[in-house]
Amino acid sequence: MSAKPLAGLRVIELARILAGPWAGQTLADLGAEVIKVEAPEGDDTRQWGPPFIDRDGTPVAAYFHAANRGKRSVVADFRTAEGQAKVKALLADADIVIENFKVGGLKKYGLDYDSLRAEFPRLIYCSITGFGQDGPYAHRAGYDYIIQGMSGLMSITGPAEGEPHRVGVAVTDLFTGVYSTTAVLAAVIERSRTGLGAHVDMSLLDCAVSVMANQAMNYLATGTPPGRTGNWHPNLVPYQVFECSDGHIIIATGNDGQYQRLCRALGLEALITDPRFLANADRVQHRAELSEALTAATRSWSKAGLLKACEDHGIPAGPINTMDEVFADPQIIARGMQLDLGAHPGVRSPFVFNGERSVADRPAPVLGEADRKGASPLCAQARIHPPGYLKSKEARFT
């Protein structure tokens, strides 16, 4: 299997900020040709700094670089007939459109799915919105922070006292980008059977509720909404942050054997036979007492010493790294997670096929780069497709 399994697929990205661009970048890392169509002022996140990274003399926010690797940028003003025609020309041999305008936002330009489906029946058109194409909130704009609150995520995040906390990265945008990638590739497979494209309706709120996973099921099974437990796991004990003499580490026991080994490593054998802590269900019931007993012991250990003891005893544990420690970690280095695309850093997507990493080899583009360099995808003679591209594409993706 090639490390570029989507080579030959063409994606037109009419998206900005994060969820849509994340889907586009994921497809680019997997080998698709992704053309990012930007308004004359560019994707908003080009200005979301500091920090900024210089791109051919133009300062562009690091935020933009995080979600737009491997794409080509063209500029089109949808408000003009020329801009609309330019987009339609791009769609002539495109496979996928990714857009994240508000519901109905592209209709007035003739670029919505219903306006395009007759002319481009094979097009897979992915609409990413805050709340989906129907329902009482469909007209609202969606923002990750708000979705984290509405989905229940913030109701279970943070310490039990004080205000709810958001996750420190825009996880609902990112999950929606990944789910969108899965959905459009499923539509590509379906098109190979039917010859027809599809409209993929992706909602940030839908995706956020979906990934509530065991917490949602805990509620559905009991009728009791779960609350915030800080760094404690709702279903496993001990599975939490522990204090050491010089900081904190995570210990995550997933079964009785691991718990018993932890007790032995800490010299707390009496806790193994304590009836309050025999099985996980017992430990969940008596979480506070067990946590206090274990923490009293871990406070006398250094982080490095306790991590080594856990490693030696087969107890799952790990450090709490800052970002500089992450990229200095030997496992991260061995897996090649930090990219160097010329003068531009990046973080690799997690795909490995037959030992080969799959990642785009170009940094995020300068605004309108393809237009200015005379390499606009509108010019057939300037395209980078190899001979027989369309024929081979038909064989692979239809």
Side-chain angles (χ1 to χ4, degrees), residues 50-387:
F52 293 94
I53 295 174
D54 188 88
R55 181 74 169 91
D56 294 351
T58 302
V60 176
Y63 195 115
F64 178 82
H65 282 272
N68 290 284
R69 176 178 57 248
K71 304 173 187 177
R72 292 192 290 165
S73 170
V74 300
V75 171
D77 189 342
F78 296 168
R79 296 166 296 185
T80 68
E82 179 185 12
Q84 294 160 23
K86 186 173 186 177
V87 174
K88 288 188 177 181
L90 290 170
L91 297 177
D93 60 356
D95 298 282
I96 297 161
V97 166
I98 299 170
E99 63 91 5
N100 63 351
F101 285 75
K102 289 176 67 175
V103 172
L106 289 175
K107 187 174 182 62
K108 58 188 173 184
Y109 307 126
L111 298 175
D112 61 307
Y113 177 69
D114 288 338
S115 299
L116 295 173
R117 64 187 300 184
E119 186 175 357
F120 306 103
R122 297 174 49 77
L123 190 64
I124 295 162
Y125 190 104
C126 180
S127 295
I128 298 174
T129 58
F131 300 96
Q133 297 295 303
D134 53 21
Y137 303 156
H139 65 285
R140 296 184 184 179
Y143 295 90
D144 173 87
Y145 205 153
I146 294 171
I147 300 299
Q148 286 198 36
M150 294 181 68
S151 65
L153 178 58
M154 288 178 64
S155 77
I156 60 166
T157 303
E161 303 299 326
E163 66 180 19
H165 288 196
R166 69 177 180 89
V167 179
V169 70
V171 288
T172 72
D173 274 324
L174 298 173
F175 271 120
T176 303
V178 173
Y179 270 126
S180 296
T181 303
T182 303
V184 297
L185 293 179
V188 169
I189 299 301
E190 177 69 6
R191 187 182 65 179
S192 71
R193 294 192 284 261
T194 67
L196 297 174
H199 187 201
V200 179
D201 172 10
M202 298 300 303
S203 153
L204 267 68
L205 184 59
D206 290 357
C207 292
V209 172
S210 289
V211 300
M212 292 301 290
N214 60 297
Q215 292 282 34
M217 288 302 296
N218 288 348
Y219 163 69
L220 294 174
T222 66
T224 302
R228 288 177 280 136
T229 56
N231 288 319
W232 289 350
H233 192 286
N235 302 105
L236 292 171
V237 176
Y239 200 104
Q240 64 199 73
V241 171
F242 282 98
E243 183 181 353
C244 297
S245 62
D246 57 349
H248 297 82
I249 70 167
I250 300 164
I251 298 177
T253 65
N255 56 52
D256 293 340
Q258 291 172 353
Y259 163 69
Q260 292 162 11
R261 292 197 294 275
L262 174 63
C263 292
R264 294 189 185 98
L266 295 175
L268 300 174
E269 287 83 354
L271 295 182
I272 296 174
T273 56
D274 189 313
R276 295 173 296 172
F277 312 134
L278 287 176
N280 181 68
D282 302 315
R283 296 192 291 273
V284 170
Q285 195 73 18
H286 300 281
R287 180 195 306 272
E289 303 100 298
L290 180 58
S291 178
E292 183 178 351
L294 294 173
T295 301
T298 64
R299 286 195 186 106
S300 65
W301 291 72
S302 69
K303 292 190 296 182
L306 187 51
L307 285 170
K308 185 177 188 308
C310 288
E311 179 81 12
D312 292 344
H313 286 80
I315 303 160
I320 301 172
N321 288 332
T322 57
M323 290 311 304
D324 57 327
E325 291 171 324
V326 170
F327 288 104
D329 188 291
Q331 182 67 21
I332 298 301
I333 294 170
R335 296 289 289 179
M337 288 303 299
Q338 181 174 340
L339 297 175
D340 180 7
L341 301 174
H344 307 288
V347 182
R348 182 178 65 80
S349 286
F351 309 112
V352 181
F353 298 104
N354 296 327
E356 186 175 354
R357 274 66 170 160
S358 181
V359 66
D361 56 5
R362 298 190 309 275
V366 171
L367 177 62
E369 181 180 65
D371 293 323
R372 290 201 298 274
K373 291 186 176 180
S376 170
L378 291 174
C379 305
Q381 68 273 19
R383 289 178 182 166
I384 59 173
H385 303 321

